[in-house]
Amino acid sequence: MFGFLGPNGAGKTSTMKIIACVSPRTSGTLTVFGMDPETCPVEIKQRLGVVPQETNLDPDFTCYGNLFTYARYFDIPADSAHQKAEELLEFVQLQEKRDVTVEKLSGGMKRRLILARALVNNPDLLILDEPTIGLDPQARHLIWERLKMLQSQGNTIVLTTHYLDEAARLCDRLVIMDNGKILVEGSPADLVKQYVGNEVVEVEKTEEVLSCLTGKNIPFEVIGDNIQIATESSREVIRILFDQCTPHNVLTRPATLEDVFLKLTGRKLRE
Amino acid sequence: MQNFWSIPRISRRAWKVWHRNLVVFFRTWHVNFFPPLIEAFLYLFAIGMGIGSYVKEIGGIPYVNFIAPAILAIAVMNSAFFECTYGSYVRMYYQKSFDAMIATPLSIEDVIAGELLWGATRSVLYVVIMLPVLAAFGVISFPTSLLAIPLAFLGGLMFGGIAMCFTAITPSIDTLNYPSFLLITPMALFSGTFFPITLLPILFQYIALALLPLTHLVAVMRMLTLPAMTGVLILHLAWIILVTAIFCIVAINLMKKRLIV
């Protein structure tokens, strides 16, 4: 499973659309399954499954109808399409909603149905553009579980996400991108280690702590009224803090992908 | 600069899009079948019987027989035009159906071609529903009137193509009201529908013949239902085929420009 991470406007969705033969590229080369999307879009799309960011299920059909009709777009014969639709409804646990129009589904059910829809053609590559956007924890976990199941069956999955815990949990490798450029690439654990360290110590911002840390030459970052110190060994830092800086509210936590992300892409708000 | 005239590469998959719309149409058949039936009755009674009782006949033809082909032609125009404006716009913009479709082996050309074929099919269905009503009133002649069915497909394709061009350039669904009121309504009145275009000032006669597609469709339709076929039929048909080809090609290229970003 491969992830594309980046702030809004970084170019994640554009990348997905170019891979999916929907948007043309302005320059450069790209091959999908060894083919050029410009010359062989049909052959490529035949083997792709796409979960778009926007929910675009067909409101004129039921859950079953959506899967069946979509399968027919892939030239799948009617009886296989029927079988596949039933199978996938079970896979995403929507058998009970089989004959319900999609407008009556909750957000989580819609996303599950879109995932099922992306699987109707047994894709060799599954492209997920923010698969769990706007979902409650229960629905996210079900989607994650299903994605892991697909992964263990040997499927290749490419996803974009804003949720860094999701990326850390699912991706074998990922890139962080911004302004259309790839900043770093690696496995989530390696990236955290390389760019932040093992742990982060957070401490309430006071003049005392600030001058103390500056004096000790310990690198730190101020975020609001919080000071964050990335470190290989929190014990060392905490010992210094308590011995010499009289800190309030000290908290130690493992370094996360979010620290890497914010470090590389900055804290400025994106449109 | 996008080429508006390039011949689109359409595959047989366009019929899948057509089939999707057909399935939805027949699932809600009870709301789709009555309008053309009622429309036929309304026109026949209000204009045919109402005005017809004063007018009696035009050029030796009973007035109701004169307007019967116009009722069919207007139905062809309206069903394809509104399907390929509001119907297609809703599917494109609100339902995002086109986005979902082009993630499959369907190309954008296939999708729009499927929509145009569907618009034309809708015209055919309307005419098929209206024909028995008009036949029951004895205002059209058979078997030539049966040719109205293939003609409905051609006419539907023409108005679908024109409609799709507006759909491709409209900034919002509200602005689709402009072509409806500024083009479709005047056409329904001034294309030799309820009175012969020879009653119009000569300049407007030329305008109607040169620019109003419905003029040609009504003329052919009337030749079929009366029947009163002359060699001019070929000229009218040629005009319709040419305009159909132009607008369908431009519509697909415009839609491509709108949707591929």
Side-chain angles (χ1 to χ4, degrees), chain A residues 178-238:
Chain A
D178 199 4
N179 298 319
K181 296 254 187 303
I182 291 174
L183 302 176
V184 289
E185 187 200 326
S187 77
D190 289 348
L191 288 175
V192 173
K193 214 164 228 150
Q194 189 182 343
Y195 288 92
V196 184
N198 271 329
E199 291 167 307
V200 174
V201 177
E202 292 188 10
V203 55
E204 197 181 315
K205 188 175 97 177
T206 58
E207 285 308 315
E208 261 176 305
V209 178
L210 276 177
S211 58
C212 167
L213 286 172
T214 319
K216 295 276 165 227
N217 244 342
I218 297 172
F220 63 90
E221 206 184 340
V222 181
I223 295 138
D225 48 11
N226 213 355
I227 298 174
Q228 293 199 354
I229 307 147
T231 173
E232 286 307 313
S233 137
S234 57
R235 258 194 218 172
E236 189 83 356
V237 176
I238 288 176

Side-chain angles (χ1 to χ4, degrees), chain B residues 6-188:
Chain B
S6 58
I7 303 296
R9 283 187 301 171
I10 299 164
S11 76
R12 275 167 48 203
R13 291 191 186 82
W15 290 103
K16 309 247 174 191
V17 180
W18 172 85
H19 187 255
R20 178 237 170 251
N21 290 336
L22 185 78
V23 169
V24 174
F25 180 87
F26 278 104
R27 233 204 15 235
T28 50
W29 63 272
H30 45 281
V31 287
N32 290 321
F33 274 67
F34 286 109
L37 270 179
I38 291 167
E39 197 180 322
F41 279 113
L42 287 178
Y43 274 116
L44 278 178
F45 279 111
I47 297 179
M49 315 291 164
I51 299 176
S53 63
Y54 288 96
V55 179
K56 303 284 192 244
E57 56 183 43
I58 290 180
I61 304 158
Y63 187 66
V64 193
N65 296 33
F66 181 85
I67 65 153
I71 296 172
L72 290 172
I74 290 171
V76 166
M77 171 175 76
N78 283 344
S79 46
F81 189 86
F82 288 102
E83 184 63 28
C84 289
T85 47
Y86 295 98
S88 294
Y89 192 84
V90 165
R91 285 191 285 276
M92 168 181 77
Y93 185 80
Y94 293 101
Q95 304 188 353
K96 314 269 178 213
S97 298
F98 296 180
D99 293 343
M101 286 171 180
I102 59 173
T104 74
L106 290 163
S107 68
I108 189 66
E109 290 94 329
D110 295 336
V111 174
I112 304 306
E115 289 280 313
L116 293 172
L117 288 170
W118 168 244
T121 305
R122 213 174 153 133
S123 298
V124 170
L125 291 169
Y126 265 51
V127 165
V128 167
I129 297 165
M130 281 180 159
L131 277 177
V133 179
L134 298 176
F137 282 85
V139 293
I140 53 175
S141 309
F142 286 94
T144 47
S145 287
L146 286 176
L147 289 171
I149 295 169
L151 180 64
F153 190 84
L154 178 62
L157 212 49
M158 171 169 69
F159 286 108
I162 294 169
M164 197 60 84
C165 288
F166 286 114
T167 307
I169 57 171
T170 192
S172 78
I173 197 162
D174 299 320
T175 41
L176 284 176
N177 290 339
Y178 286 116
S180 314
F181 287 116
L182 299 179
L183 187 67
I184 297 302
T185 309
M187 242 196 302

Side-chain angles (χ1 to χ4, degrees), chain A residues 5-64:
Chain A
L5 276 59
N8 287 341
K12 303 182 297 294
T13 298
S14 302
T15 310
M16 295 305 115
K17 283 190 172 169
I18 294 169
I19 297 175
C21 316
V22 169
S23 297
R25 59 183 189 274
T26 47
S27 64
T29 54
L30 170 70
T31 55
V32 184
F33 308 126
M35 292 177 280
D36 186 335
E38 217 123 290
T39 52
C40 316
V42 175
E43 289 80 357
I44 293 173
K45 288 195 287 183
Q46 191 78 49
R47 295 168 61 186
L48 283 182
V50 181
V51 171
Q53 200 174 113
E54 274 181 310
T55 299
N56 56 13
L57 292 164
D58 197 326
D60 292 325
F61 287 102
T62 61
C63 291
Y64 171 83

